[in-house]
Amino acid sequence: MAENLIVDCGVPPRTAWRLASELSLDVAAHQFNTLTGDPRAGMRGTRIWEYEQWPERGVRPTITALRVLAQVYGTSWKSLLGLRDLEQLPAKDLAEYHADVEPAAAPPAAAEELPYPARAVARVEPGPDADVGAGSLDDAILLTKTNVDDVQLDDLWSDLDFVGGAYTRTAPDSALSQLAVVGERTAALLRGRQRPKQTQDLLLVGAKCASMMAWIAGDLGRFRLSRELNSAAWLYTQYADDFLARRWVRTSQARVAFWAGSGVESAKLAADGLNYQVGGRLTDAPLILAEARGWSSVQAEPQVLDAIARWTSIEDPELGAGGEDRFFNITKDRRHYMAGTSLLSVGQASAALREFKTAREAHEKLSLENRWGAMDPMIRIDTGRAHLRLDDLEGAAAQVEPLLIADVGRQPDMVHAMLKVLADELSGPRWRNVTAARNLAEALLDAQASARP
């Protein structure tokens, strides 16, 4: 029946096998937890549904989770993967898929048949030589006891991926609260006992969670909290000793430092992040552009142009939103916006306008769920600033006038800050005696003030 659903009806394998087993999502989750013999595993029907949606969306199931689900459905774990799944599997999982030889189907196993190590360890009775190494075996066996399993780790990673992917359409306060829960769960697990690999995984979760929280707190203008969170994230990375984690944190630190007013520090943090080579999972573009933006704050034109040139040489116009690190791998519209702001700050107004035009086109091509809400007002504000540098007041007004009737109250702190920058430039010596410029400056300041809670 499952094969008919897959072949004739086009139903994805994991859904097909569950339906063929006549199990609801919640019943399948209950049997999953029964098989693991660990009530703390906490498999839920919603998580199984997310497994079934992958790879188009949802969450990638771990090999361990697939093995348990296969026993629930009475099949082999490899039967739960289709061709589309195999194309998206990480190399390690794909190698295990090809290396594992198992029957196509197996009868459902009872919970006690699952080959999990027993959690209760009987103490070895001392013999005549109990005084020599007494208790050593018991102490070693303690290493097999753990308060963490693959399901819990997968759940933590999935929650991070979900919040990271949803941040473009989620209020920053809400995202920060969701991440705080993940951080608390991670810290609670770290206080228990894990095997070394599990401890490192938890440290990586902690590093990514804290750096994401720092990034979002910076968007809210809470820079003291941002720095504390980034310090915590860096401490996690030091114990995890992982290059990708260090790159996550440096990316967040560079962003927070820039918006907190420390441009040179931002540039140096971004440059250091580039020293941690991670093989493409987190591209160089965000850090190179952060380096350019940091130097632009002190009008260091040679450093800015050098960074922009390095970015241009590696820019991939097809690189879109997606992947496990999409929170840090910024989209094309944001990449070109960052390039434009850096060029504008060193007097390259015409080049900046070209970048802003590309940024707007890329932004409009994104699906609504992948658009960052602050991107449109930021592009408008800085495009307006570029027009001012070219003595085009009408062009500047055309860009920012839509913001005067929009509700920017929920926008990140950086939007309010840039409204103030543009208003100040309109009030500067070049435009001070131009009535239209004064009126526009006052309207921008009014919009900024009314947006405040």
Side-chain angles (χ1 to χ4, degrees):
M1 180 178 177
E3 292 178 358
N4 288 337
L5 289 171
I6 296 169
V7 176
D8 298 334
C9 304
V11 177
R14 291 179 290 286
T15 304
W17 277 101
R18 178 176 59 78
L19 294 175
S21 302
E22 299 183 352
L23 298 176
S24 69
L25 291 167
D26 289 338
V27 172
H30 175 74
Q31 292 194 17
F32 184 106
N33 292 331
T34 300
L35 278 171
T36 63
D38 183 1
R40 295 173 298 178
M43 178 58 70
R44 305 183 303 274
T46 53
R47 179 45 49 90
I48 290 180
W49 181 85
E50 290 174 335
Y51 287 162
E52 293 179 1
Q53 306 311 303
W54 190 81
E56 303 305 329
R57 49 188 176 135
V59 174
R60 175 173 58 83
T62 63
I63 299 300
T64 300
L66 288 173
R67 290 185 187 278
V68 180
L69 282 174
Q71 294 190 64
V72 171
Y73 302 151
T75 185
S76 67
W77 71 272
K78 295 168 70 172
S79 299
L80 301 180
L81 294 169
L83 291 176
R84 185 77 178 95
D85 300 317
L86 296 179
E87 292 174 354
Q88 300 298 320
L89 277 184
K92 177 177 177 295
D93 290 353
L94 190 61
E96 186 170 349
Y97 176 91
H98 289 299
D100 194 359
V101 179
E102 60 176 10
E112 59 270 19
E113 294 174 349
L114 196 66
Y116 280 86
R119 294 186 177 269
V121 181
R123 188 170 183 83
V124 179
E125 292 296 329
D129 56 346
D131 57 327
V132 179
S136 295
L137 179 58
D138 290 351
D139 293 339
I141 288 176
L142 282 175
L143 295 175
T144 67
K145 289 187 173 181
T146 174
N147 65 325
V148 184
D149 57 30
D150 287 344
V151 173
Q152 289 170 301
L153 288 169
D154 180 53
D155 201 36
L156 291 169
W157 283 119
S158 297
D159 286 346
L160 287 182
D161 292 342
F162 174 79
V163 177
Y167 185 52
T168 56
R169 56 188 185 277
T170 304
D173 277 322
S174 175
L176 194 61
S177 297
Q178 293 177 63
L179 288 172
V181 173
V182 177
E184 290 167 3
R185 288 166 55 198
T186 303
L189 289 170
L190 279 169
R191 287 193 287 270
R193 179 189 296 276
Q194 307 91 38
R195 288 186 284 275
K197 178 62 170 65
Q198 294 172 327
T199 301
Q200 186 188 40
D201 286 342
L202 287 173
L203 291 170
L204 293 175
V205 171
K208 189 170 188 177
C209 183
S211 57
M212 289 171 67
M213 291 177 69
W215 178 303
I216 295 171
D219 285 353
L220 292 168
R222 300 166 64 181
F223 297 116
R224 179 182 177 85
L225 174 61
S226 290
R227 290 185 181 277
E228 290 179 357
L229 286 164
N230 271 328
S231 294
W234 188 253
L235 189 59
Y236 276 123
T237 69
Q238 294 294 79
Y239 283 100
D241 193 21
D242 183 89
F243 274 18
L244 178 59
R246 289 192 173 101
R247 185 169 277 218
W248 291 331
V249 182
R250 286 298 192 232
T251 303
S252 177
Q253 288 175 323
R255 177 183 173 85
V256 170
F258 176 81
W259 288 110
S262 302
V264 174
E265 179 191 1
S266 173
K268 292 181 178 179
L269 287 166
D272 183 66
L274 291 166
N275 292 325
Y276 303 109
Q277 300 299 317
V278 293
R281 279 194 60 190
L282 187 58
T283 68
D284 286 349
L287 284 167
I288 293 175
L289 289 169
E291 186 182 351
R293 184 172 61 180
W295 287 121
S296 74
S297 68
V298 291
Q299 288 77 52
E301 185 173 4
Q303 290 92 327
V304 170
L305 296 181
D306 173 70
I308 294 297
R310 283 186 281 130
W311 165 67
T312 302
S313 70
I314 66 164
E315 169 62 10
D316 179 4
E318 302 304 318
L319 179 64
E324 294 177 348
D325 287 319
R326 59 187 177 275
F327 183 87
F328 298 103
N329 275 326
I330 55 177
T331 48
K332 180 180 178 179
D333 56 333
R334 295 167 72 179
R335 297 196 298 272
H336 284 272
Y337 168 75
M338 288 181 69
T341 58
S342 299
L343 290 167
L344 181 61
S345 294
V346 293
Q348 303 282 333
S350 296
L353 274 178
R354 291 194 293 271
E355 296 296 340
F356 293 143
K357 181 175 182 293
T358 302
R360 178 173 298 286
E361 292 171 350
H363 181 72
E364 292 174 349
K365 289 179 181 178
L366 285 173
S367 62
L368 290 177
E369 67 178 10
N370 286 323
R371 291 184 186 180
W372 184 42
M375 198 72 268
D376 180 69
M378 294 293 280
I379 293 174
R380 287 187 176 279
I381 292 168
D382 282 303
T383 302
R385 294 177 62 220
H387 279 290
L388 286 183
R389 301 290 176 87
L390 297 172
D391 289 334
D392 181 8
L393 179 60
E394 289 186 5
Q399 287 295 322
V400 300
E401 281 175 352
L403 300 180
L404 303 180
I405 58 175
D407 178 13
V408 293
R410 292 182 176 273
Q411 293 292 349
D413 187 78
M414 61 188 66
V415 173
H416 308 308
M418 292 310 299
L419 284 171
K420 178 68 165 55
V421 169
L422 178 55
D424 288 345
E425 291 181 358
L426 285 164
S427 302
R430 170 65 182 84
W431 303 102
R432 184 176 297 155
N433 297 321
V434 179
T435 302
R438 290 201 308 272
N439 291 340
L440 183 58
E442 291 173 3
L444 288 171
L445 290 175
D446 289 342
Q448 181 205 18
S450 64
R452 294 298 186 181

